[in-house]
Amino acid sequence: MKSLLKTMAAAAVVIAPGVAFAEDSNDPIIIPIHNWSSQIVMSNVVGQMYESMGLNVEFVTTDSQAVYESVRLGDVALELEVWEGAFGASFREALSKGGLHDVGDHDAVTREDWWYPMWTKESCPGLPSWEALNDCAAVFATAETGDKGRYLDGPVDWLKHGQERAAALNLNFTVINAGSAAALWAEIGAAEADKKPVLVFNWTPNFAEAVWPGEFVEFPAWEDGCDTDPTKGPNKDELYDCGNPANGYLKKAAWDGMKDKWPTAYCVLSNISFTNPQIAEMAKLVDTDDLEPVEAAEEWLAANGDAVQPWIDSCS
Ligand code: TMO
């Protein structure tokens, strides 16, 4: 009860309390949640914005690739973080089947790829070029990987294709999928005291950039079709021989039926555009400050109400 009152008080202070929008359905707007912090907090931020407008919201935890099929079928209303690198392929496939559409890009520019904390360069000075990796494979070796280097990739559902990348570029590395985002941060944290070289999947915007200065490995530049056409990229026989897009988009997507069922909520969604620092802060509130996602969203809105209120006002 205490936290409910706190929630209501925070929402009332931060965002002007809304009148229910007669045109919008009372059915809950179902917002999908995945397994990295900014997406979870952003979903709660937008959910709290909708609640402040008198709309009903529900959250469901879903697989981050299968969600595009769920949006297309209207099982969930929208997706707030379509990262080009991780989800571009699933998004494009769902678009081609119909039922969901692109509701525009966030201001944020994104990158997701193999990454290392800066101290790693002392043992592998040829970085960030990917061509330095094989010369340094031994410095990334562990008991588990023998004489191969260890690369800790993201959880499997992010479909980062690290194994295929290593094979297509002939990298002497063993690719291991982390069980969760937290396992990536634990790997960096454990290496920090001894400045042990490590290579992990990471992305921006994220909280990590404020905690551990580091760099992405520069792989052969992304070419459209690198994931579908073997002739793209330096290895003419294999897919995934390119880095992820270095200036990737971050899109919003919606079920085609959303604009008729919840026109005001849809209007707000189309206005929403978060920046790199805003998204990094959403992640930080959970990953560094240890807040629960609901509280992180309240805190974020308390500090950023001025930015979001116009997106609501212009739709009412
Ligand atoms: C999709 N992600 C931001 C975790 O790379």
Side-chain angles (χ1 to χ4, degrees):
M1 192 54 170
K2 188 160 165 261
S3 78
L4 179 64
L5 287 174
K6 209 176 99 201
T7 304
M8 294 170 67
V13 170
V14 175
I15 306 179
V19 271
F21 292 90
E23 326 81 292
D24 286 55
S25 168
N26 286 325
D27 291 353
I29 300 170
I30 301 179
I31 301 180
I33 293 220
H34 310 304
N35 52 354
W36 66 98
S37 301
S38 69
Q39 197 275 347
I40 301 172
V41 176
M42 188 188 295
S43 297
N44 276 277
V45 162
V46 173
Q48 290 176 20
M49 288 164 58
Y50 285 161
E51 281 166 357
S52 81
M53 297 161 57
L55 299 166
N56 293 312
V57 173
E58 259 173 37
F59 299 98
V60 288
T61 299
T62 82
D63 179 277
S64 62
Q65 304 287 345
V67 72
Y68 296 97
E69 190 65 9
S70 308
V71 178
R72 195 175 80 71
L73 298 173
D75 293 340
V76 301
L78 54 83
E79 167 60 51
L80 288 162
E81 286 196 7
V82 187
W83 291 66
E84 181 171 7
F87 311 117
S90 293
F91 176 59
R92 286 189 295 273
E93 193 191 333
L95 267 183
S96 75
K97 292 185 186 165
L100 99 172
H101 62 278
D102 182 341
V103 194
D105 292 10
H106 291 283
D107 177 81
V109 176
T110 66
R111 187 167 184 183
E112 308 157 76
D113 229 320
W114 298 35
W115 177 97
Y116 52 87
M118 212 52 103
W119 64 74
T120 297
K121 250 178 145 169
E122 288 159 29
S123 335
C124 189
L127 288 171
S129 168
W130 70 275
E131 287 167 295
L133 287 175
N134 278 345
D135 294 338
C136 308
V139 312
F140 296 104
T142 64
E144 192 186 359
T145 62
D147 58 1
K148 295 190 171 204
R150 167 182 167 93
Y151 168 60
L152 188 63
D153 207 349
V156 273
D157 70 301
W158 299 349
L159 285 185
K160 298 319 303 175
H161 301 289
Q163 247 121 19
E164 291 92 332
R165 170 103 53 99
L169 294 175
N170 239 324
L171 295 177
N172 194 22
F173 275 73
T174 299
V175 176
I176 295 161
N177 284 105
S180 64
L184 299 170
W185 320 139
E187 179 105 343
I188 305 169
E192 191 169 11
D194 299 336
K195 302 279 184 275
K196 202 165 84 59
V198 277
L199 207 51
V200 303
F201 178 71
N202 196 354
W203 59 90
T204 183
N206 193 2
F207 80 98
E209 52 214 273
V211 180
W212 300 291
E215 289 176 340
F216 290 104
V217 175
E218 297 292 345
F219 280 101
W222 169 257
E223 292 177 56
D224 278 332
C226 195
D227 54 349
T228 52
D229 177 355
T231 69
K232 305 287 181 175
N235 183 334
K236 300 303 168 201
D237 300 318
E238 301 290 346
L239 302 177
Y240 305 112
D241 50 336
C242 305
N244 286 311
N247 297 291
Y249 63 65
L250 185 68
K251 283 187 181 299
K252 304 159 289 173
W255 171 51
D256 285 350
M258 185 185 177
K259 55 173 155 337
D260 294 325
K261 188 163 181 184
W262 299 282
T264 319
Y266 180 82
C267 172
V268 173
L269 176 66
S270 66
N271 285 340
I272 286 172
S273 172
F274 294 116
T275 65
N276 284 63
Q278 287 173 336
I279 295 168
E281 177 70 14
M282 292 177 194
K284 172 193 172 273
L285 290 166
V286 168
D287 289 324
T288 305
D289 301 349
D290 285 331
L291 296 183
E292 291 300 319
V294 174
E295 295 164 349
E298 288 168 8
E299 191 145 314
W300 191 92
L301 276 169
N304 295 275
D306 291 356
V308 307
Q309 190 65 51
W311 299 336
I312 297 174
D313 292 345
S314 83
C315 295
S316 18

